[in-house]
Amino acid sequence: MLRNDRVLLLTVGTGTADQLRATVLEPFAKSIQAGEWTRVILFPSKLTEANAQAVAAEHAGLPVEIRALRRPGDEESVDACFAHFDLEISRLTAEGCAPARMTADFTRGTKALSAALALAAAAHGVGSLRYIGATKRDERGMAVPGCERMSDLVPEAIWERQRLVLGVSYLEAGDFRAAGRLFPGWPRAAWAGPRAYEIQWLNWAACFWGAWDAFDYKSAHKLSGLSGMPPRKPAWASRFLPSEDQKSFLAGLAAQDLEDPVAKADRCRDLGADLLANAVRRLGEGQTEEVLVRLYRVLELTGQTRLFAAGLDSADLDRGHPAVQQWLAGLPDAPASNRNGKLEIGREKVASLLQVLGDPLAGKLLDVSWLGEFGPVMRNKSILIHGFKSRTRNREKELSGLIGKLEAFYAAEDAANPKRLAAARFAFLA
């Protein structure tokens, strides 16, 4: 549980040996007194640990802690300093101190010491960075005692940039939900500042590609119009914009209430391409069982597509059609009728009907041995029920080969299918 501690973090430098009070104790007192702190953490090097002890003695009424660098000479190594500060801020956070209620004063010490504290503070989301400059300096370039000027920086801009960079990396990895959580509330939330347009574009990309990836074609199609988006685009946004072919492809996926069998056939082809591209993405995420579900559905869709192209509907099959009558005559048991007196048939019966129609793909739909050990197996009348253990664990290489077989099978079904498959791929994925 986070506490309400106000924590001040300070690097400790050498000061001037014969002016310890003027160059160390008094400047530290000004920084410590400019706030109501419940904890003060001093970060000296081994060389300046005595100075830190003198500061702690001056402020005996406060819980001043000294957390020195581990080894002599570490104050000249940014890596060593950063590792130390990263560890100590992590410890404070684990103790319940909220980083947003911390202030990091990186004024004193070596350049490596100061830079490392500023970097570690920004990485942890520390609420304020402090630097004490000077309005007057002596001939050595040192601040004249009594001429210090305190500056506090709220590093929200740094955190926003970090989250934006992280968001783009999430998009490139296909983790659209994570990208959308970095700046929640879009499109109702409003952001201000110089990066507001970038935040909007990040959220649009997360929502658009996330909707498409989740088969929410209607939402994705609506978002593809870019309505209300800022005219200014960040440099990274261009690779996340859908191409014109993709917009057209998405419009086909979003189409509803199609009546013409040929139009239904083309929509099935669109769905097949999208399922294949989706299977590749699921394989990249290690969701191997999901890969099989999608590939099996492509098989079913291909049969439905071929029937639609012949003017027939597997979910609304007319018994009076001559080819259907011929097919029924060769079956040992006729399938049951639906409420409308029509037939609804599954993948295998679709394939046998296509064979009666003389369809060249019927053979591959009837005998799926060409798919190898991952071919669909009927359990409880559904190829989507795999049993009680994974068939695909640690079989990514074999599944990749299976996807290749289905892609080749799909591409040969119609001359426009390779173009559909190209449109279905998210080209920006790393």
Side-chain angles (χ1 to χ4, degrees), residues 52-253:
Q53 291 168 353
V55 172
E58 288 275 310
H59 300 277
L62 281 176
V64 179
E65 305 166 45
I66 299 173
R67 302 190 183 184
L69 298 177
R70 302 292 188 266
R71 297 176 299 274
D74 276 358
E75 68 274 11
E76 298 299 339
S77 167
V78 174
D79 288 340
C81 292
F82 182 89
H84 181 71
F85 298 141
D86 181 49
L87 175 63
E88 295 299 339
I89 296 174
S90 295
R91 284 177 175 172
L92 288 167
T93 303
E95 292 167 10
C97 300
R101 293 179 63 80
M102 299 179 192
T103 294
D105 186 333
F106 59 93
T107 305
R108 302 161 191 90
T110 62
K111 290 181 174 63
L113 202 67
S114 297
L117 180 58
L119 289 170
H124 281 272
V126 166
S128 179
L129 299 177
R130 174 173 292 178
Y131 177 77
I132 300 178
T135 57
K136 187 177 181 181
R137 296 183 180 273
D138 61 21
E139 64 278 0
R140 299 170 299 169
M142 305 290 288
V144 173
C147 297
E148 296 87 357
R149 180 177 59 191
M150 189 178 302
S151 299
D152 281 357
L153 166 68
V154 177
E156 180 62 30
I158 298 173
W159 306 337
E160 279 190 356
R161 176 54 63 200
Q162 285 180 326
R163 292 200 297 274
L164 282 165
V165 170
L166 183 62
V168 173
S169 70
Y170 281 151
L171 293 177
E172 291 172 335
D175 197 343
F176 308 116
R177 185 179 292 271
R181 285 174 174 161
L182 293 170
F183 300 94
W186 187 84
R188 293 174 298 278
W191 291 273
R195 278 158 296 281
Y197 74 102
E198 287 194 71
I199 293 170
Q200 281 190 262
W201 279 106
L202 176 70
N203 278 317
W204 169 85
C207 289
F208 170 73
W209 295 107
W212 188 341
D213 191 54
F215 307 114
D216 184 0
Y217 303 128
K218 184 177 179 180
S219 295
H221 179 53
K222 183 177 180 180
L223 286 165
S224 70
L226 304 178
S227 176
M229 292 303 295
R232 182 183 178 189
K233 298 183 183 69
W236 51 261
S238 59
R239 65 182 181 275
F240 298 108
L241 295 176
S243 68
E244 292 304 315
D245 281 348
Q246 286 182 308
K247 290 181 181 179
S248 176
F249 177 70
L250 192 56
L253 288 168

Side-chain angles (χ1 to χ4, degrees), residues 289 292-293 296 300 375-389 391:
E289 286 294 299
L292 282 186
V293 170
Y296 292 166
E300 292 177 331
V377 177
M378 296 292 285
R379 289 190 178 92
N380 298 334
K381 299 183 178 181
S382 173
I383 62 172
L384 304 184
I385 299 172
H386 299 167
F388 295 103
K389 67 177 183 178
R391 298 175 64 192

Side-chain angles (χ1 to χ4, degrees), residues 3-10 32 35-43 52 55-67 92 95 97:
R3 306 195 298 253
N4 288 324
D5 287 342
R6 293 284 297 164
V7 183
L8 177 62
L9 315 172
L10 305 105
I32 292 172
E36 297 180 0
W37 313 108
T38 52
R39 298 179 74 174
V40 176
I41 314 295
L42 303 179
F43 292 121
V55 172
E58 288 275 310
H59 300 277
L62 281 176
V64 179
E65 305 166 45
I66 299 173
R67 302 190 183 184
L92 288 167
E95 292 167 10
C97 300

